[in-house]
Amino acid sequence: MKFAVLLLLGSLLACTSADDNSVLIATASSFRPALEVLAPALNDKCNTNIQISSGSTGALITQIRQGAPFDLLISADQNLSKSLANSPTNNYRLDAAFARSPMAYWQPKASAKKLTIAIANPKTAPFGRAAMQVIGQTKPDLITAANAGQAFVFVHTKAANAGYVPLPLLIAAKIPNTEFELIAEDTYSPIFLHNVRLKRNLTLDCLSDQLNALQTITMLAGFGYLPP
Amino acid sequence: MSMEILSPIITSLQLAFVTTLILLFAGVPLAFGLSRMRGFKRALLESLIAIPLVLPPTVLGFYLLLLLGANGPFAPLELVFSFPGLVIGSVLFSLPFMIRPVQTAFEAIPNSLFEAGASMGAGSLQRFLLLALPLARNGIWSGMILSFAHTIGEFGVVLMIGGNIPDKTRVVSIAIFDAVERLDYTEAHILSASLVVFSFIAMVLVSWASRDRKSP
């Protein structure tokens, strides 16, 4: 039974202390690289410690509906966010969009192999729906990723030889602009980023203000984001 | 080592410790009971416990999410997306990994030893504590190591009921998935390699624990 005692001690020692000042942000995967760059400045300005969890907006909203303890959602799907915020059983607050995210078609190099195109899941990710709008009636071989970030990884690891991905992910990964082309914005529904405050406190008010601040918008332009 | 890497390792170890501890105190008596059972009741119970061996983890995760989630009967306990919720999922999912080797070890003990103990006045609790447990120690070690290792490698159940919350539910397997999505292959490599080494050590320990101590 010595091992049992060791297990108990280990369990107790492994307990990590919670940081009361931390804010847990659930973000659409396409915004994660930009948020990681923004986080230190946001931490300083709002006197907080941002922790990030990312996924497709649809999956994150499902988790929130099931009780996930996020403080702020940065969503890329306005309709889903509205339905979340309008639910009468909660006290969520949907803020105005702070950026618009362009989409690009990325094909690292022409391939003699059959073209397989990675897209985010159209049922849960706005970039997936946008990709389907662009693809239209054509029937290419599609590889459906859980979210836009995973669609990007599929092309990056050559699991797919092309993909419809958010422009900010290409810029963040320093992909040469000879490998991708921007998709005309009138061919798909625009993808706006906005935040939903899931709790009410001054830190979240501060973060919301900072995301809409001119300085943030300027920084986001470096990632390819456009004003809303 | 950065907290990005250290935190999921700590969470995984914490989860595996607590899960193994619960399985040790709940699983060993259950395995003993099963080893003494016969007939249809035993077949039914064994099958029920063994289901996680063949069931996709997402199925268990889905039903746990429905039970523990915001609209489920256990919603007031706020177990979903929390560490205690992960423990519940892990205990259920790792249960057969504890029960199987321990039950086999109990079954290998000749019944005559229990009869001898009973004839010398030992009650059922004494026979369990003083005869069965020491003789089944190799199986118990194997069960503990397997449960611990299986919990460390868990993904589907954790993703369904725990999500990906830093310092709370982001275990190593989830952190690897997350690191790959962020194109942070260095972090993914470090965590993945640590799991490969850990799994190998666990298998060596299982092999060591299962050895026949009487052989030369």
Side-chain angles (χ1 to χ4, degrees), chain B residues 57-88:
Chain B
T58 43
V59 175
L60 186 64
F62 171 63
Y63 284 119
L64 281 172
L65 191 62
L66 291 185
L67 281 173
L68 308 178
N71 303 313
F74 299 102
L77 299 176
E78 296 186 356
L79 289 168
V80 81
F81 303 106
S82 73
F83 186 79
L86 282 194
V87 172
I88 291 173

Side-chain angles (χ1 to χ4, degrees), chain B residues 23 48 76 194 203:
Chain B
L23 284 174
L48 197 66
S194 66
M203 286 299 105

